[in-house]
Structure formats: structure tokens, C-alpha cells
Amino acid sequence: MSAKIYGLFIPGDKECIEVIRQIRWSRGYVCPYCNSRDVILKGKERNKPYIQRYRCNSCRRHFNDLTGTIFAKKQMSLGEMFYIIKNLKNSSIKQISEELERDYRTVYYFAEEVMELSEKDNILKKLLEM
């Protein structure tokens, strides 16, 4: 069975980023570098216009919706990562990698990271609860 068939169950990146934003910024924007709340919106990511960019007025650093999360700097789409998180308890990594048509190691390393961070990462904790 191809990923195109399974794709019907993979959420879109825009929907995923909305969920991440609702969880992450539920109490307002906070700089992941210095924890300041003095943050302003600073446009969108060039290649992914659904991802908001921010600038901290305290430390002057830039960040986006994914900075400092398990989802940052991954080659997989947000939808694929959400799919892995959702199916991790009920499916084998081999099965998930076949469904996504992804290399086993790619899925394995992400799943391992999810399991390691599931208690520490607030966004991940809430996603697993959902």
C-alpha cells in the first residue's frame, strides 16, 4: 500500500502548526533563548509561509514556531511527525516507515526522540494526551 493511500490520514502542515501554536503560545509568546515575553511578530518563513517568525526585544534573537521543539530542523513534514506520534503506541516502527515510505532509521530516530522527550517537552506531552 502506498503513502498516497495513507496520506489521507496524514494531517497537513498548516493544521499541525496551528495545533503547535495553540499549545506553545497559549499564555503568550516567550523567547526560547532568554524566556522574555517582550517578543514581536517578525514575518513568516520564506519557504514555509505558514510558520510565524518572531524577534525577542530583550536578547534580539530571532526564532519561529518550531524553535526549541522536537519538530525543529527535521527533514520530515510536520504531518508525518504528527502521524508517527499518533501511531507510535499502536504500530511498529517498521509498519509506520512503510506507510510513510520513509527510511526505517529516519522513523526510528524520531520515535526514539519522542520517547525520550515525552515527559520533558510540554508540546509533546499535550500531543500525546490528545
Side-chain angles (χ1 to χ4, degrees):
M1 201 172 276
S2 76
K4 290 177 185 167
I5 293 170
Y6 290 113
L8 297 172
F9 304 104
I10 298 172
D13 286 355
K14 290 178 186 176
E15 292 80 16
C16 294
I17 202 71
E18 286 303 318
V19 171
I20 290 170
R21 271 195 204 113
Q22 287 173 7
I23 295 169
R24 185 169 195 186
W25 310 126
S26 64
R27 295 183 182 169
Y29 306 119
V30 178
C31 175
Y33 300 109
C34 71
N35 291 319
S36 170
R37 292 191 172 277
D38 189 11
V39 172
I40 60 169
L41 303 182
K42 199 67 177 164
K44 305 282 184 173
E45 289 294 337
R46 188 172 294 135
N47 298 333
K48 297 178 180 177
Y50 48 87
I51 297 178
Q52 179 67 53
R53 295 181 68 226
Y54 308 90
R55 190 188 82 198
C56 175
N57 286 329
S58 296
C59 71
R60 301 269 186 234
R61 294 185 73 177
H62 289 86
F63 59 96
N64 68 34
D65 290 319
L66 303 178
T67 302
T69 72
I70 193 172
F71 306 106
K73 299 179 182 175
K74 296 287 191 286
Q75 297 299 314
M76 290 184 284
S77 71
L78 287 172
E80 289 174 315
M81 290 185 274
F82 271 52
Y83 184 87
I84 292 168
I85 291 167
K86 179 181 180 280
N87 291 290
L88 203 50
K89 290 183 182 178
N90 303 321
S91 301
S92 70
I93 292 171
K94 183 179 188 302
Q95 181 183 348
I96 294 170
S97 68
E98 288 171 358
E99 291 169 356
L100 294 175
E101 293 181 349
R102 284 284 187 174
D103 181 69
Y104 174 86
R105 290 170 297 192
T106 302
V107 175
Y108 173 81
Y109 291 129
F110 181 72
E112 189 175 65
E113 199 175 349
V114 167
M115 289 183 270
E116 283 177 21
L117 294 175
S118 62
E119 286 303 311
K120 299 174 194 170
D121 187 315
N122 190 42
I123 295 172
L124 198 50
K125 236 197 252 186
K126 289 192 178 186
L127 284 174
L128 289 167
E129 289 169 7
M130 292 168 70

